[in-house]
Amino acid sequence: MLDKNQIAKRIAQELRDGMYVNLGIGIPTLVANYIPEGVQVVLQSENGLLGMGPFPMEGEEDADVINAGKQTITTIPGSAFFDSAMSFGMIRAGKIDLTVLGAMEVADNGDIANWKIPGKMVKGMGGAMDLVASAQNIIVAMQHTNRAGESKLLSQCTLPITGLRCVRKVVTELGVFDITTRGFELREIAPGVTVEDVIAKTAGRLVVDGDIKTIVL
Amino acid sequence: MSNKVFAHASDAIHDISDGAVLMLGGFGLCGIPEHAIAALVKKGVRQLTCISNNAGVDDFGIGLLLQQRQVKKMISSYVGENAEFERQLLSGELEVELIPQGTLATRCMMAGYGIPAFFTPAGYGTEVAADKESRPFKLFGQEKDYLMEYAFEADFALVKAWKGDTQGNLIFKAAARNFNPLMAMAGRITIAEVEHLVEPGQLDPNEIHTPGIYVHRIFKGDHFEKRIEQRTVQAKSTV
């Protein structure tokens, strides 16, 4: 079974040199800690920055330099600031090569729900609906089940939808799943996890066939 | 040339009255018009409609207006940092319209460009799409369904810039740019507060983000608190 950092590390293996990448809040943010050797990517922060760097050294934080999670950050050489309309312009126009998001639920047709729990949580969608409506390559990083132990990989989302048929890949503590017309196709399985575990915890259509590798980190 | 310069925030906002529709720049607490907000709290105007990406935190930004029950309606994309906001929303005291962040930004921008509506794929198939016209378009070789969204109009746009000159030309700094230049272009009356106010000619025309034609009033803020919402740092190495 993978922990949060290992989920991030596995997703980081999807990064290719030169990619423009948008990382969401939560596990996706951790992906930046595991960019493989020899790979350079440019991180987009949708509040208006390309070329996000690490957190500043203590005492060097600047209130005007924050990321989409409102955290103080730094810029790397070659970075650029822009307004929020341009930021979502580049997202809508498909310029971002990879988008990594968290989710509350993902359906086996690629639908995603991650912005609202009716009657409970009313924080809003932020940029999530814009991202999922336009990104060509979306990976969801999340736990396989919710706090009640119920599967988050479903045949149909029960929570309000963020976007339709948009998720391409899901990485959880149990494995790596590609979403195809057949449903969640198990591609890789986490060390110490059995196929039976995956079947028991997946409510949507699950395809287990072909060559299933063990995740190597 | 008419004088756009005001001495204090209270003078610049003197004619904002009950029921006004406002745009407020900023993302989180970054780049918010903190002096104009403080002046609105002091003035005590009520029944405001606020178009702003976020609603501040409990004791800063738009949170200060919420505390005094001055806001009738918020139009935002993300409001997760404010407990008082959530309380007023769940109790029905506050009207809230949540819209996707890119849609919010573009609806502001469109007003400044004189374009009444546009189509975006964001929110198609979700509850955001309720009662909205949708249409399929082919773009970049791909056919998708798009929602029609309208430009926002606001009585006043309150923005914060890094530098400005007395003719209203503005330059923003770093991520404090965010919604500010978009809203600056969209207000029927745009009020800019700046950290540095200079004479015409002291700003490089190549570096102006918002031309002064869009800015009706400008004042220098005395001291910007610029509160940080999530202070994240790396510990200094002791080596």
Side-chain angles (χ1 to χ4, degrees):
Chain A
M1 207 137 83
L2 306 184
D3 64 23
K4 284 181 182 183
N5 283 294
Q6 290 169 320
I7 292 174
K9 200 171 177 184
R10 173 59 192 82
I11 290 172
Q13 294 174 3
E14 304 291 318
L15 300 174
R16 299 290 173 268
D17 198 38
M19 272 185 169
Y20 289 94
V21 180
N22 181 291
L23 302 175
I25 293 162
I27 301 174
T29 305
L30 301 172
V31 173
N33 298 335
Y34 301 102
I35 298 169
E37 195 81 16
V39 171
Q40 280 194 336
V41 299
V42 179
L43 299 177
Q44 196 234 23
S45 187
E46 67 268 21
N47 54 320
L49 168 63
L50 274 168
M52 180 166 49
F55 294 143
M57 300 307 288
E58 205 176 332
E60 289 171 15
E61 59 273 26
D62 180 343
D64 292 331
V65 185
I66 64 164
N67 65 14
K70 283 107 183 173
Q71 297 172 310
T72 47
I73 42 125
T74 57
T75 57
I76 59 167
S79 64
F81 289 108
F82 34 85
D83 67 57
S84 300
M86 184 180 284
S87 184
F88 285 93
M90 61 186 74
I91 287 166
R92 245 183 255 119
K95 305 294 183 189
I96 305 294
D97 300 300
L98 176 64
T99 300
V100 186
L101 290 167
M104 298 172 190
E105 296 177 344
V106 175
D108 59 24
N109 65 351
D111 290 356
I112 179 172
N114 71 349
W115 76 281
K116 186 180 185 183
I117 304 173
K120 269 192 191 165
M121 190 200 80
V122 285
K123 290 178 191 298
M125 67 291 281
M129 280 191 185
D130 307 271
L131 281 158
V132 302
S134 297
Q136 302 296 314
N137 188 9
I138 300 176
I139 300 179
V140 163
M142 67 175 189
Q143 301 298 323
H144 208 94
T145 54
N146 62 22
R147 282 189 197 134
E150 298 154 347
S151 181
K152 294 166 72 175
L153 284 71
L154 306 172
S155 55
Q156 206 175 353
C157 291
T158 64
L159 294 169
I161 291 284
T162 310
L164 300 173
R165 293 174 295 280
C166 53
V167 179
R168 298 260 292 264
K169 191 185 279 290
V170 180
V171 181
T172 75
E173 74 276 20
L174 301 184
V176 178
F177 305 83
D178 281 346
I179 296 180
T180 70
T181 51
R182 301 199 295 164
F184 298 108
E185 296 204 22
L186 178 63
R187 296 284 190 228
E188 297 175 35
I189 195 160
V193 173
T194 65
V195 169
E196 288 68 34
D197 294 333
V198 176
I199 292 171
K201 289 183 175 171
T202 306
R205 285 178 300 148
L206 178 69
V207 179
V208 183
D209 63 10
D211 177 28
I212 296 164
K213 290 180 233 153
T214 300
I215 294 174
V216 179
L217 293 172
Chain B
M1 183 114 193
S2 70
N3 184 21
K4 296 184 178 181
V5 180
F6 285 71
H8 302 288
S10 53
D11 308 324
I13 63 123
H14 69 276
D15 53 351
I16 297 183
S17 51
D18 290 358
V21 177
L22 310 179
M23 287 182 181
L24 298 102
F27 177 86
L29 300 179
C30 179
I32 61 172
E34 54 179 81
H35 292 91
I37 291 170
L40 287 171
V41 171
K42 208 167 162 197
K43 190 166 193 265
V45 283
R46 306 180 82 81
Q47 296 290 104
L48 299 172
T49 294
C50 295
I51 302 169
S52 170
N53 190 57
N54 309 93
V57 294
D58 282 327
D59 60 346
F60 200 55
I62 294 175
L64 297 171
L65 292 167
L66 289 165
Q67 262 183 16
Q68 302 301 317
R69 310 274 203 285
Q70 292 174 264
V71 183
K72 179 183 74 172
K73 182 175 184 182
M74 280 299 311
I75 300 174
S76 302
S77 88
Y78 190 82
V79 292
E81 289 97 356
N82 192 319
E84 174 61 16
F85 179 98
E86 198 152 349
R87 192 197 64 72
Q88 289 185 24
L89 172 59
L90 294 172
S91 70
E93 291 165 59
L94 181 68
E95 267 179 78
V96 177
E97 189 180 341
L98 291 169
I99 59 181
Q101 193 175 337
T103 300
L104 178 69
T106 311
R107 288 179 71 177
C108 294
M109 182 178 81
M110 285 300 140
Y113 280 85
I115 298 172
F118 66 101
F119 285 87
T120 176
Y124 181 81
T126 75
E127 55 186 67
V128 165
D131 306 323
K132 284 181 184 158
E133 184 179 336
S134 71
R135 233 194 257 185
F137 287 100
K138 195 171 174 187
L139 184 66
F140 311 130
Q142 208 183 351
E143 185 164 298
K144 268 203 281 208
D145 291 302
Y146 290 75
L147 288 181
M148 188 166 78
E149 299 280 3
Y150 292 97
F152 275 129
E153 290 184 74
D155 299 318
F156 295 88
L158 309 178
V159 302
K160 189 262 162 179
W162 180 34
K163 296 176 184 173
D165 68 20
T166 56
Q167 294 193 358
N169 294 302
L170 302 178
I171 297 176
F172 303 92
K173 191 187 144 204
R177 193 182 318 181
N178 57 62
F179 288 82
N180 281 301
L182 309 167
M183 291 179 171
M185 292 169 66
R188 196 170 54 73
I189 294 175
T190 289
I191 304 170
E193 57 189 83
V194 297
E195 291 179 55
H196 306 281
L197 182 61
V198 300
E199 292 300 317
Q202 291 185 267
L203 299 178
D204 182 344
N206 290 298
E207 292 177 355
I208 303 292
H209 293 126
T210 300
I213 190 169
Y214 287 110
V215 178
H216 308 86
R217 301 174 189 172
I218 190 164
F219 66 94
K220 182 182 177 300
D222 289 332
H223 164 76
F224 283 87
E225 178 177 341
K226 291 213 224 176
R227 196 184 294 185
I228 292 174
E229 209 163 322
Q230 307 278 344
R231 187 180 300 275
T232 45
V233 295
Q234 304 180 52
K236 264 191 180 137
S237 153
T238 49
V239 180

Coordinates of all heavy atoms in Angstrom, one line a residue, chain A residues 5-61:
Chain A
N5 N 2.9 10.3 0.1 CA 4.1 10.7 -0.6 C 4.4 9.7 -1.7 O 4.9 10.1 -2.8 CB 5.2 10.8 0.4 CG 5.2 12.1 1.2 OD1 5.3 13.2 0.6 ND2 4.9 12.0 2.4
Q6 N 4.1 8.5 -1.5 CA 4.4 7.5 -2.5 C 3.4 7.6 -3.7 O 3.8 7.4 -4.8 CB 4.4 6.1 -1.9 CG 5.6 5.8 -1.0 CD 5.4 4.6 -0.1 OE1 4.3 4.2 0.4 NE2 6.5 3.8 0.0
I7 N 2.2 8.0 -3.4 CA 1.3 8.2 -4.5 C 1.8 9.4 -5.4 O 1.8 9.3 -6.6 CB -0.2 8.6 -4.0 CG1 -0.8 7.4 -3.3 CG2 -1.1 9.1 -5.1 CD1 -2.1 7.7 -2.6
A8 N 2.3 10.4 -4.7 CA 2.9 11.6 -5.4 C 4.1 11.2 -6.2 O 4.3 11.6 -7.4 CB 3.2 12.7 -4.4
K9 N 4.9 10.3 -5.6 CA 6.1 9.9 -6.3 C 5.8 9.0 -7.5 O 6.5 9.2 -8.6 CB 7.0 9.0 -5.3 CG 8.4 8.9 -5.7 CD 9.2 8.3 -4.5 CE 10.7 8.1 -5.0 NZ 11.5 7.4 -4.0
R10 N 4.8 8.2 -7.4 CA 4.4 7.4 -8.6 C 3.8 8.3 -9.7 O 4.2 8.1 -10.9 CB 3.3 6.4 -8.2 CG 2.7 5.6 -9.4 CD 3.7 4.9 -10.2 NE 3.2 4.4 -11.5 CZ 3.1 5.1 -12.6 NH1 3.5 6.4 -12.6 NH2 2.6 4.6 -13.7
I11 N 3.1 9.3 -9.4 CA 2.6 10.3 -10.4 C 3.7 11.1 -11.0 O 3.7 11.3 -12.2 CB 1.5 11.2 -9.8 CG1 0.2 10.4 -9.4 CG2 1.2 12.4 -10.7 CD1 -0.8 11.1 -8.7
A12 N 4.7 11.4 -10.2 CA 5.9 12.1 -10.7 C 6.6 11.3 -11.9 O 7.2 11.9 -12.7 CB 6.9 12.4 -9.6
Q13 N 6.4 10.0 -11.9 CA 7.0 9.2 -13.0 C 6.3 9.5 -14.3 O 6.8 9.2 -15.4 CB 6.9 7.7 -12.7 CG 7.7 7.3 -11.5 CD 7.4 5.8 -11.1 OE1 6.7 5.1 -11.8 NE2 8.1 5.3 -10.1
E14 N 5.1 10.2 -14.3 CA 4.4 10.5 -15.5 C 5.0 11.8 -16.1 O 4.6 12.2 -17.2 CB 2.9 10.7 -15.2 CG 2.2 9.5 -14.6 CD 2.1 8.3 -15.6 OE1 1.8 8.6 -16.7 OE2 2.4 7.2 -15.1
L15 N 5.8 12.6 -15.4 CA 6.3 13.8 -15.8 C 7.4 13.6 -16.9 O 8.2 12.7 -16.9 CB 7.0 14.6 -14.7 CG 6.0 15.0 -13.5 CD1 6.8 15.6 -12.4 CD2 4.9 15.9 -14.0
R16 N 7.3 14.4 -18.0 CA 8.3 14.4 -19.0 C 8.9 15.7 -19.2 O 8.4 16.8 -18.8 CB 7.6 14.1 -20.4 CG 6.9 12.7 -20.4 CD 7.9 11.5 -20.4 NE 7.2 10.2 -20.3 CZ 7.0 9.6 -19.1 NH1 7.4 10.2 -18.0 NH2 6.3 8.5 -19.1
D17 N 10.2 15.7 -19.6 CA 10.9 17.0 -19.7 C 10.2 18.0 -20.6 O 9.7 17.7 -21.6 CB 12.3 16.7 -20.4 CG 13.3 17.8 -20.1 OD1 13.3 18.3 -19.0 OD2 14.1 18.1 -21.1
G18 N 10.1 19.2 -20.1 CA 9.5 20.3 -20.8 C 8.0 20.5 -20.6 O 7.4 21.4 -21.2
M19 N 7.4 19.6 -19.8 CA 5.9 19.7 -19.6 C 5.6 20.9 -18.8 O 6.3 21.3 -17.9 CB 5.4 18.5 -18.8 CG 5.0 17.3 -19.6 SD 4.3 16.0 -18.5 CE 3.6 14.9 -19.7
Y20 N 4.4 21.5 -19.2 CA 3.8 22.5 -18.3 C 2.7 21.8 -17.5 O 1.9 21.1 -18.0 CB 3.1 23.6 -19.2 CG 4.1 24.5 -19.8 CD1 4.5 24.2 -21.2 CD2 4.7 25.6 -19.2 CE1 5.5 25.0 -21.8 CE2 5.6 26.4 -19.8 CZ 6.0 26.1 -21.1 OH 6.9 26.9 -21.7
V21 N 2.8 21.9 -16.2 CA 2.0 21.1 -15.3 C 1.3 21.9 -14.2 O 1.8 22.9 -13.7 CB 3.0 20.1 -14.5 CG1 2.2 19.2 -13.5 CG2 3.8 19.3 -15.5
N22 N 0.0 21.6 -14.0 CA -0.8 22.2 -12.9 C -1.0 21.2 -11.9 O -1.6 20.1 -12.1 CB -2.1 22.8 -13.5 CG -2.9 23.5 -12.4 OD1 -3.4 22.8 -11.5 ND2 -3.0 24.8 -12.5
L23 N -0.6 21.5 -10.7 CA -0.8 20.6 -9.5 C -1.8 21.1 -8.6 O -1.7 22.3 -8.1 CB 0.5 20.3 -8.8 CG 1.7 19.8 -9.6 CD1 3.0 19.8 -8.7 CD2 1.4 18.4 -10.1
G24 N -2.9 20.4 -8.3 CA -3.9 20.8 -7.3 C -3.4 20.8 -5.9 O -2.3 20.4 -5.6
I25 N -4.3 21.1 -5.0 CA -4.0 21.1 -3.6 C -4.1 19.7 -3.0 O -4.9 18.9 -3.4 CB -5.0 22.1 -2.9 CG1 -4.7 23.5 -3.4 CG2 -4.9 22.1 -1.4 CD1 -5.8 24.5 -3.2
G26 N -3.3 19.4 -2.0 CA -3.3 18.1 -1.3 C -2.2 17.2 -1.9 O -1.1 17.7 -2.1
I27 N -2.5 16.0 -2.1 CA -1.5 15.0 -2.6 C -0.8 15.6 -3.9 O 0.4 15.5 -4.0 CB -2.0 13.6 -2.9 CG1 -2.6 13.0 -1.6 CG2 -1.0 12.7 -3.4 CD1 -3.3 11.7 -1.7
P28 N -1.6 16.2 -4.8 CA -1.0 16.6 -6.1 C 0.2 17.6 -5.8 O 1.2 17.6 -6.5 CB -2.1 17.3 -6.8 CG -3.3 16.6 -6.3 CD -3.1 16.3 -4.9
T29 N 0.1 18.5 -4.8 CA 1.2 19.4 -4.5 C 2.5 18.7 -4.2 O 3.6 19.2 -4.5 CB 0.8 20.3 -3.3 OG1 -0.5 20.9 -3.6 CG2 1.8 21.4 -3.0
L30 N 2.4 17.5 -3.6 CA 3.6 16.7 -3.2 C 4.3 16.2 -4.4 O 5.5 15.9 -4.3 CB 3.2 15.6 -2.3 CG 2.4 15.9 -1.0 CD1 1.9 14.6 -0.3 CD2 3.4 16.7 -0.1
V31 N 3.7 16.1 -5.6 CA 4.3 15.6 -6.8 C 5.6 16.5 -7.1 O 6.6 15.9 -7.5 CB 3.4 15.6 -8.0 CG1 4.1 15.3 -9.3 CG2 2.2 14.7 -7.7
A32 N 5.5 17.8 -6.8 CA 6.7 18.6 -7.0 C 7.9 18.2 -6.3 O 9.0 18.6 -6.7 CB 6.3 20.1 -6.7
N33 N 7.8 17.5 -5.2 CA 8.9 17.0 -4.4 C 9.7 15.8 -5.1 O 10.7 15.4 -4.6 CB 8.5 16.6 -3.0 CG 7.9 17.8 -2.3 OD1 8.2 18.9 -2.5 ND2 7.0 17.5 -1.3
Y34 N 9.1 15.2 -6.1 CA 9.6 14.0 -6.7 C 9.9 14.1 -8.2 O 9.8 13.0 -8.9 CB 8.7 12.8 -6.4 CG 8.4 12.6 -4.9 CD1 7.3 13.1 -4.3 CD2 9.4 12.1 -4.1 CE1 7.1 13.0 -2.9 CE2 9.3 11.9 -2.7 CZ 8.1 12.4 -2.1 OH 7.9 12.3 -0.8
I35 N 10.1 15.3 -8.7 CA 10.4 15.4 -10.1 C 11.7 14.6 -10.4 O 12.7 14.8 -9.8 CB 10.5 16.9 -10.5 CG1 9.2 17.6 -10.2 CG2 10.9 17.0 -12.0 CD1 9.3 19.1 -10.3
P36 N 11.6 13.7 -11.4 CA 12.7 12.8 -11.6 C 14.0 13.5 -12.1 O 13.9 14.6 -12.7 CB 12.2 11.8 -12.7 CG 10.8 11.9 -12.7 CD 10.4 13.3 -12.2
E37 N 15.1 13.0 -11.8 CA 16.4 13.5 -12.2 C 16.4 13.7 -13.8 O 15.9 12.8 -14.5 CB 17.5 12.4 -11.9 CG 18.9 12.9 -11.9 CD 19.3 13.7 -10.6 OE1 18.5 13.5 -9.6 OE2 20.3 14.3 -10.6
G38 N 16.9 14.8 -14.2 CA 17.0 15.1 -15.6 C 15.7 15.6 -16.3 O 15.7 15.8 -17.5
V39 N 14.6 15.7 -15.5 CA 13.4 16.2 -16.0 C 13.1 17.6 -15.5 O 13.2 17.8 -14.3 CB 12.2 15.2 -15.6 CG1 10.9 15.9 -16.0 CG2 12.4 13.9 -16.3
Q40 N 12.9 18.5 -16.4 CA 12.5 19.8 -16.0 C 11.1 20.1 -16.4 O 10.8 20.0 -17.6 CB 13.5 20.9 -16.6 CG 14.8 20.9 -15.9 CD 15.6 22.2 -16.3 OE1 15.4 22.7 -17.4 NE2 16.5 22.6 -15.4
V41 N 10.2 20.5 -15.5 CA 8.9 20.9 -15.8 C 8.6 22.3 -15.3 O 9.4 22.8 -14.5 CB 7.8 19.9 -15.2 CG1 8.0 18.5 -15.7 CG2 7.9 20.0 -13.7
V42 N 7.6 23.0 -15.9 CA 7.3 24.3 -15.5 C 5.9 24.2 -14.8 O 4.9 23.7 -15.4 CB 7.1 25.3 -16.7 CG1 6.7 26.7 -16.2 CG2 8.5 25.4 -17.4
L43 N 5.9 24.6 -13.5 CA 4.6 24.4 -12.7 C 3.8 25.7 -12.9 O 4.3 26.8 -12.7 CB 5.0 24.2 -11.3 CG 5.8 22.9 -10.9 CD1 6.1 22.9 -9.4 CD2 5.0 21.7 -11.4
Q44 N 2.5 25.5 -13.2 CA 1.6 26.6 -13.3 C 0.8 26.7 -12.0 O 0.3 25.7 -11.5 CB 0.6 26.4 -14.5 CG -0.1 27.7 -14.9 CD -1.6 27.6 -14.9 OE1 -2.2 26.7 -14.3 NE2 -2.2 28.5 -15.7
S45 N 0.6 27.9 -11.5 CA -0.3 28.1 -10.4 C -1.4 29.0 -10.9 O -1.1 30.1 -11.5 CB 0.5 28.8 -9.3 OG -0.3 28.9 -8.1
E46 N -2.6 28.6 -10.9 CA -3.7 29.2 -11.7 C -4.1 30.6 -11.1 O -4.9 31.3 -11.8 CB -4.9 28.3 -11.8 CG -5.7 28.0 -10.5 CD -5.2 26.8 -9.8 OE1 -4.1 26.3 -10.1 OE2 -6.0 26.2 -9.0
N47 N -3.5 31.1 -10.0 CA -3.7 32.5 -9.7 C -2.9 33.4 -10.5 O -3.1 34.6 -10.5 CB -3.5 32.7 -8.2 CG -2.1 32.2 -7.7 OD1 -1.6 31.2 -8.2 ND2 -1.5 33.0 -6.9
G48 N -2.0 32.9 -11.3 CA -1.3 33.7 -12.3 C 0.2 33.6 -12.3 O 0.9 34.6 -12.4
L49 N 0.7 32.4 -12.3 CA 2.2 32.2 -12.3 C 2.6 31.0 -13.1 O 2.0 29.9 -12.9 CB 2.7 32.1 -10.9 CG 4.2 31.7 -10.7 CD1 5.2 32.6 -11.3 CD2 4.5 31.5 -9.2
L50 N 3.6 31.1 -14.0 CA 4.2 29.9 -14.6 C 5.7 30.0 -14.0 O 6.3 31.0 -14.1 CB 4.3 30.0 -16.1 CG 3.1 29.5 -16.8 CD1 3.1 29.9 -18.3 CD2 3.0 28.0 -16.7
G51 N 6.2 28.8 -13.5 CA 7.5 28.8 -13.0 C 7.6 28.9 -11.5 O 8.3 29.7 -11.0
M52 N 6.7 28.2 -10.9 CA 6.6 28.2 -9.4 C 7.8 27.4 -8.8 O 8.2 26.3 -9.3 CB 5.3 27.5 -8.9 CG 5.2 27.5 -7.4 SD 3.5 27.1 -6.9 CE 3.1 25.6 -7.9
G53 N 8.5 28.0 -7.9 CA 9.6 27.4 -7.2 C 9.2 26.9 -5.8 O 8.1 26.9 -5.5
P54 N 10.2 26.5 -5.0 CA 9.9 25.9 -3.7 C 9.5 27.0 -2.7 O 9.5 28.2 -3.0 CB 11.3 25.3 -3.3 CG 12.3 26.0 -4.1 CD 11.6 26.4 -5.4
F55 N 9.1 26.6 -1.5 CA 8.8 27.6 -0.5 C 10.0 28.5 -0.2 O 11.2 28.0 -0.3 CB 8.4 26.8 0.8 CG 7.1 26.0 0.7 CD1 7.0 24.8 1.4 CD2 6.1 26.5 0.0 CE1 5.9 24.1 1.3 CE2 4.9 25.8 -0.1 CZ 4.8 24.5 0.5
P56 N 9.8 29.7 0.2 CA 10.9 30.6 0.5 C 11.6 30.2 1.8 O 11.1 29.5 2.6 CB 10.2 32.0 0.6 CG 8.8 31.7 1.1 CD 8.5 30.4 0.4
M57 N 12.9 30.7 1.9 CA 13.6 30.5 3.2 C 12.9 31.4 4.2 O 12.3 32.4 3.9 CB 15.0 30.9 3.0 CG 15.8 30.1 2.0 SD 15.7 28.3 2.2 CE 16.7 28.1 3.7
E58 N 12.9 30.9 5.5 CA 12.3 31.7 6.5 C 12.8 33.1 6.5 O 14.0 33.4 6.4 CB 12.7 31.0 7.9 CG 11.8 31.3 9.0 CD 12.2 30.5 10.2 OE1 12.8 29.5 10.1 OE2 11.8 31.1 11.3
G59 N 11.9 34.1 6.6 CA 12.3 35.5 6.6 C 12.3 36.1 5.2 O 12.3 37.3 5.0
E60 N 12.2 35.3 4.2 CA 12.2 35.8 2.8 C 10.8 35.7 2.1 O 10.7 35.9 0.9 CB 13.2 35.0 2.0 CG 14.7 35.4 2.4 CD 15.7 34.6 1.7 OE1 15.4 33.8 0.7 OE2 16.9 34.6 2.2
E61 N 9.8 35.4 2.9 CA 8.5 35.2 2.3 C 7.9 36.6 1.9 O 8.2 37.6 2.5 CB 7.5 34.5 3.2 CG 7.3 35.1 4.6 CD 8.3 34.7 5.6 OE1 9.4 34.3 5.3 OE2 8.0 34.8 6.8

